[in-house]
Amino acid sequence: MKERKSGGKRPRVRMAFIGCGGMARSHTRRMLQQQDTTEIRVVCEPSANAYEEFCELFEEAGVEPPPNEPVLEKMLERSELDAAFIITPHVLHFPQAKACLEAGLDVLLEKPMVMNAEEAVALIDVRDKSGRILSVSFNGSMSPQVRTGAKMLRAGKLGRILNISAVVWQNWMTSTSGLWRQVPEVAGGGFLFDTGAHMLNTISDLAGEDFVEVAAWMDNHGAPVDILAAVIARLRSGALVSMNAAGNTQCKIGSDVRVMCEKGMLQTGIWGERLLIQESDDEELKPVELPESLGTWQQFLRVREAEMENPCPPEIGLRMARLWDAIKDSASQGGRPVKVGT
């Protein structure tokens, strides 16, 4: 991380949005309330309609909208920038993050980090050579619930991890029908790699170690991509992990994560919806006292100023990418167990 800047008021971070879709607009609403720290200087969006909807947020706030340069290479050549927030379809994450890092920008990258482990290794190499910051925008890893839970597990408060069980459900199949999220070449997968990516990442984060073996089954349920998935995995320590994903429920969305340890149990959600623990003498789960909850961009700014550790570094993204590659490999063989590549 950078050395902390000393004295005086910090200059505003000059940033670019790469992508102006619905998720970018959601982040922008919050960032327009933080204009003392951030200047949205330019956007890169090939869709005129998406850019127009993006500009409406600025007009509502009484702020001049930033210009749009739809070609990333041109934007990087002509704009003075400090950072980029990339919120685009999955297949674009690697080339766009690579270009921004090589142009000298710190990067906050929407989930999932990349499409596979090969891209993850390559992007970490670019990060290291550029000396810039790369953080992945996963709600779970950026939540005080998952961060606190991970610290408790690493400190051994609940003893050695024995089993991890996780589940996620959503009416995803219907809500994403006809969108790029169900185009395999663009999305890289279906429900398990979109909403379910939060589960894969949070488990990878809480586990704190690599996976070594995976058996997985996926069912497209008549769609172009996976809708249902069941995964059984083993961590390097020998701990066992199970993950279930159902993307065609009539329930809107939800999740649950349980980490069973020698001295107790931890419960959270894939987005960090809660944090409860049950220790040896407890008859029920009890809530854990948590630090302040910070927004995604606010945390990224603090990482840039060396005021906090990167909550979701690309090393977690690599662990998740290796897991995802193994899941696809096993599922393609009808659930045959496969070794996780390292």
Side-chain angles (χ1 to χ4, degrees):
M1 294 189 293
K2 295 180 179 179
E3 293 183 3
R4 186 192 296 254
K5 298 175 182 177
S6 60
K9 185 177 180 180
R10 294 170 181 158
R12 292 195 300 169
V13 174
R14 302 166 298 180
M15 65 87 67
F17 265 112
I18 316 299
C20 292
M23 189 60 67
R25 294 193 292 273
S26 177
H27 284 289
T28 299
R29 289 185 181 93
R30 290 189 291 271
M31 291 171 66
L32 283 171
Q33 301 172 5
Q34 303 170 348
Q35 295 182 61
D36 57 330
T37 63
T38 304
E39 176 190 357
I40 304 174
R41 176 161 286 200
V42 67
V43 299
C44 180
E45 174 53 66
S47 168
N49 289 337
Y51 176 60
E52 183 177 347
E53 291 184 37
F54 186 79
C55 288
E56 290 175 1
L57 299 178
F58 290 80
E59 294 164 359
E60 291 171 3
V63 178
E64 183 72 21
N68 179 29
E69 172 46 73
V71 179
L72 180 60
E73 292 75 15
K74 291 182 179 179
M75 188 203 78
L76 293 173
E77 286 176 1
R78 75 182 198 182
S79 300
E80 292 184 1
L81 296 167
D82 303 307
F85 195 170
I86 299 173
I87 311 177
T88 54
H90 306 161
V91 71
L92 301 175
H93 288 187
F94 172 73
Q96 291 176 339
K98 179 176 183 291
C100 289
L101 289 168
E102 290 177 338
L105 307 187
D106 294 322
V107 173
L108 179 57
L109 180 58
E110 186 54 65
K111 66 83 188 170
M113 185 173 85
V114 288
M115 298 276 274
N116 51 54
E118 182 180 0
E119 290 186 348
V121 170
L123 195 57
I124 289 173
D125 184 57
V126 173
R127 186 275 313 266
D128 291 345
K129 289 178 179 177
S130 69
R132 308 314 303 176
I133 293 167
L134 174 61
S135 188
V136 186
S137 181
F138 268 110
N139 307 65
S141 287
M142 289 190 160
S143 71
Q145 289 83 355
V146 172
R147 289 274 50 80
T148 301
K151 288 179 181 177
M152 293 172 64
L153 293 169
R154 298 295 83 74
K157 179 176 175 60
L158 300 176
R160 184 171 63 92
I161 295 175
L162 303 174
N163 294 69
I164 302 176
S165 175
V167 61
V168 59
W169 61 91
Q170 186 183 9
N171 57 346
W172 186 90
M173 182 177 180
T174 301
S175 63
T176 61
S177 179
L179 303 179
W180 65 263
R181 295 178 189 277
Q182 289 198 32
V183 179
E185 298 78 12
V186 178
F191 179 60
L192 188 57
F193 198 54
D194 191 36
T195 299
H198 291 281
M199 177 171 65
L200 302 181
N201 176 81
T202 293
I203 297 304
S204 296
D205 192 343
L206 291 172
E209 59 176 313
D210 291 335
F211 293 86
V212 295
E213 190 173 17
V214 169
W217 298 261
M218 292 194 285
D219 187 337
N220 286 18
H221 215 63
V225 293
D226 62 273
I227 303 298
L228 306 174
V231 181
I232 300 173
R234 184 166 55 87
L235 295 170
R236 188 170 300 281
S237 64
L240 303 178
V241 179
S242 65
M243 291 173 276
N244 276 281
N248 64 337
T249 68
Q250 294 305 307
C251 306
K252 188 174 181 181
I253 195 167
S255 79
D256 186 64
V257 176
R258 311 246 174 167
V259 183
M260 281 71 76
C261 305
E262 290 178 314
K263 300 178 183 178
M265 192 264 280
L266 178 153
Q267 181 189 23
T268 184
I270 67 172
W271 300 280
E273 305 96 300
R274 68 195 77 88
L275 180 61
L276 306 170
I277 64 168
Q278 184 175 8
E279 297 182 88
S280 301
D281 297 329
D282 295 335
E283 295 184 1
E284 58 185 22
L285 288 159
K286 297 180 180 179
V288 176
E289 185 175 345
L290 298 168
E292 177 189 7
S293 179
L294 302 176
T296 299
W297 184 252
Q298 187 178 358
Q299 290 187 66
F300 180 67
L301 294 181
R302 290 197 176 189
V303 171
R304 292 189 76 248
E305 296 297 333
E307 294 176 349
M308 66 179 289
E309 293 296 322
N310 191 342
C312 198
E315 285 75 12
I316 301 297
L318 173 58
R319 184 180 298 154
M320 176 191 147
R322 286 172 173 159
L323 170 62
W324 174 240
D325 284 353
I327 288 172
K328 291 186 294 182
D329 187 9
S330 175
S332 71
Q333 301 181 62
R336 179 180 177 181
V338 300
K339 300 295 182 181
V340 179
T342 57

